[in-house]
Amino acid sequence: MKAALKRSITILVAIAVSLSFAGSVSLPSHAESTLEKLQKAKKEKEKTEEAKDNTQDRKESLQITKNSLLGQLSTLNDNLAQVSTNLESIEADIVNKETEIAQTKEALAQAILTEETQYENMKHHIRVMYERDMNGGYLELLLSAESFSDFLNRGDYIERLNEYDKKMLEEFEQSRKDVEVTQALLETELEALNVLRQEAEQEKSRVSSLVNQTSASVANYSDQIADAEETIDALESMIDEQEQDIVALQKKYEEELAMSRLAAKSKWRDISEVTFEEGDRKLLANLIYCEAGGEPYVGQVAVGAVVINRVLSSRYPNTVVGVIYQNKQFSPVGSGRLALALANDTATSSCYQAADEAMRGVTNVGQCVYFRTPIPGLTGLRIGGHIFY
């Protein structure tokens, strides 16, 4: 829901920005011609197309960045898998090492026990030897030999027994020392493995964090791309509508051009044939004020003359009221400015004077029936800030 709202706002903002490229447009102070509307519509379409192109470029840039991030994410995932595998291997080595240490401890305990047992055996043999010597032991054994060779044999037996006990004790001592060295080595290796495990866990945490951050960035760019695509769709719809408006305005403009040519060739009444109604003077003066209140007096007379020319032409209504209120001919009518001016009768004395001259048939624009501010491609009679044609 939040993402949809965010995208809708993004589209509206993009559309607003695209329409604002043309700058702020104040309400016209004259009847906006179809030609002006057509040219304005074409410019607005160009701005919309520019906004679409910019959005498309932005989308492509976002896609490039997203693809780069996806490549980074793939590499990070591979790294994470490798780190995880290494960590699992280290943990397995630690388990094996701990098992070896436990087995070595058992072997050490057994070696110590064997050494102690041998030591006790030696003490026992010595004690027995001395006790028997005191009671006619080993010495009696030697002296009771029947011959010299027997004496040597018995002496050799005693010596070999002592040597055996000593040798066994030394072997058991060495065995214990070997086991102790092995245990110390295994414990050193275990410490090293624990350090490696800690480093691997830290690396895994670091890579996991990078994976999460990159995944979030990819998701963010995906959202921005989706927003850009929706904006492009909205702008394309606007372009389609603008193209339709341009086609309609082009058709209307061509019709107006034809109407203008017909008006020039139409039947014209003389000003003496026109009967003005009560209120025509006030109506015309206030229209002149709305259209040319800031123009020089000759420009005010010219606007009044255009209205009266239409009254005189057979192609337009034959009354001042009919001409001024003809649909979509004078913008102050549609904008409400004329109604406000009439309510307060804001027309100046020069506007009333211009209206009086126009209603007497005075014209300084010939038979022109249109006027507007200058635009490229439009020719006509220039008076003040207007062109009459």
Side-chain angles (χ1 to χ4, degrees):
M1 182 69 72
K2 291 182 179 179
L5 178 60
K6 175 185 173 184
R7 291 178 182 175
S8 299
I9 294 174
T10 301
I11 293 173
L12 292 175
V13 171
I15 293 174
V17 170
S18 69
L19 294 179
S20 68
F21 284 150
S24 58
V25 180
S26 59
L27 289 174
S29 60
H30 60 276
E32 189 177 50
S33 69
T34 301
L35 176 59
E36 180 184 17
K37 293 178 181 178
L38 178 60
Q39 292 177 335
K40 182 189 294 184
K42 289 180 178 180
K43 289 181 180 179
E44 289 177 350
K45 179 190 172 187
E46 290 176 358
K47 297 300 181 183
T48 306
E49 289 175 338
E50 181 181 355
K52 175 192 170 185
D53 291 340
N54 291 338
T55 306
Q56 184 67 40
D57 291 342
R58 177 172 173 270
K59 173 192 170 184
E60 292 174 358
S61 176
L62 290 170
Q63 188 65 54
I64 291 173
T65 304
K66 176 185 174 182
N67 291 339
S68 176
L69 287 171
L70 286 172
Q72 295 177 26
L73 183 60
S74 177
T75 300
L76 287 171
N77 280 324
D78 290 342
N79 292 343
L80 182 60
Q82 183 62 48
V83 171
S84 298
T85 300
N86 291 342
L87 181 59
E88 291 174 0
S89 177
I90 292 171
E91 289 176 340
D93 289 342
I94 288 174
V95 171
N96 293 335
K97 196 65 64 178
E98 289 174 340
T99 300
E100 290 181 41
I101 290 173
Q103 293 173 348
T104 303
K105 286 181 178 181
E106 292 178 2
L108 179 60
Q110 184 61 43
I112 292 172
L113 179 61
T114 302
E115 180 185 1
E116 291 175 348
T117 301
Q118 180 60 27
Y119 181 67
E120 291 298 327
N121 289 337
M122 285 185 63
K123 289 195 300 181
H124 175 71
H125 291 160
I126 293 171
R127 185 173 58 251
V128 169
M129 180 179 67
Y130 282 105
E131 287 177 354
R132 291 181 64 180
D133 281 343
M134 293 174 61
N135 298 307
Y138 289 127
L139 182 57
E140 181 183 356
L141 178 64
L142 292 173
L143 295 177
S144 62
E146 296 179 357
S147 65
F148 181 71
S149 61
D150 185 30
F151 174 84
L152 291 177
N153 287 334
R154 292 185 182 189
D156 183 59
Y157 166 75
I158 294 171
E159 183 180 356
R160 282 189 286 108
L161 179 62
N162 289 333
E163 288 294 333
Y164 173 78
D165 286 338
K166 181 180 179 182
K167 179 181 178 182
M168 293 303 298
L169 180 60
E170 290 175 350
E171 289 180 358
F172 292 144
E173 286 179 348
Q174 187 59 46
S175 177
R176 173 183 57 78
K177 291 178 181 179
D178 291 342
V179 173
E180 288 176 345
V181 170
T182 300
Q183 180 180 346
L185 178 61
L186 290 173
E187 288 176 348
T188 300
E189 292 174 350
L190 179 61
E191 290 179 2
L193 286 172
N194 284 326
V195 171
L196 289 176
R197 176 170 63 181
Q198 183 178 5
E199 292 175 350
E201 288 174 344
Q202 291 174 349
E203 179 65 10
K204 180 179 180 181
S205 177
R206 185 187 71 83
V207 177
S208 296
S209 178
L210 289 175
V211 168
N212 293 334
Q213 292 175 8
T214 307
S215 297
S217 296
V218 169
N220 180 47
Y221 275 96
S222 296
D223 289 341
Q224 292 186 58
I225 290 172
D227 291 342
E229 289 174 344
E230 291 188 12
T231 301
I232 290 172
D233 291 340
L235 290 172
E236 287 178 343
S237 297
M238 287 184 62
I239 292 172
D240 291 339
E241 294 176 1
Q242 289 169 339
E243 287 178 346
Q244 294 174 8
D245 291 341
I246 289 172
V247 171
L249 287 170
Q250 184 69 38
K251 181 179 179 181
K252 183 179 179 182
Y253 175 58
E254 291 172 356
E255 291 173 351
E256 282 190 357
L257 286 178
M259 183 69 177
S260 179
R261 289 191 290 268
L262 288 174
K265 299 176 181 180
S266 68
K267 181 178 179 181
W268 287 73
R269 294 187 296 167
D270 185 77
I271 191 66
S272 62
E273 300 177 47
V274 179
T275 301
F276 293 103
E277 302 294 333
E278 182 180 357
D280 283 353
R281 179 173 180 265
K282 179 180 178 182
L283 177 60
L284 181 57
N286 278 278
L287 178 67
I288 292 171
Y289 173 79
C290 291
E291 295 282 17
E295 293 291 316
Y297 178 70
V298 289
Q300 295 174 355
V301 172
V303 170
V306 167
V307 175
I308 299 303
N309 281 345
R310 291 194 180 192
V311 174
L312 297 177
S313 172
S314 61
R315 295 292 176 180
Y316 295 93
N318 59 5
T319 64
V320 173
V321 172
V323 167
I324 291 178
Y325 287 104
Q326 189 176 8
N327 188 36
K328 296 181 180 180
Q329 295 301 305
F330 297 94
S331 61
V333 175
S335 67
R337 290 179 61 220
L338 179 59
L340 182 62
L342 286 170
N344 298 314
D345 194 14
T346 53
T348 62
S349 59
S350 65
C351 291
Y352 269 103
Q353 184 179 347
D356 289 340
E357 285 205 59
M359 291 172 71
R360 287 198 303 270
V362 176
T363 176
N364 55 356
V365 293
Q367 293 182 329
C368 292
V369 291
Y370 293 100
F371 69 92
R372 57 152 290 109
T373 55
I375 57 173
L378 179 64
T379 59
L381 178 61
R382 178 71 176 265
I383 300 178
H386 289 133
I387 290 181
F388 295 83
Y389 55 100

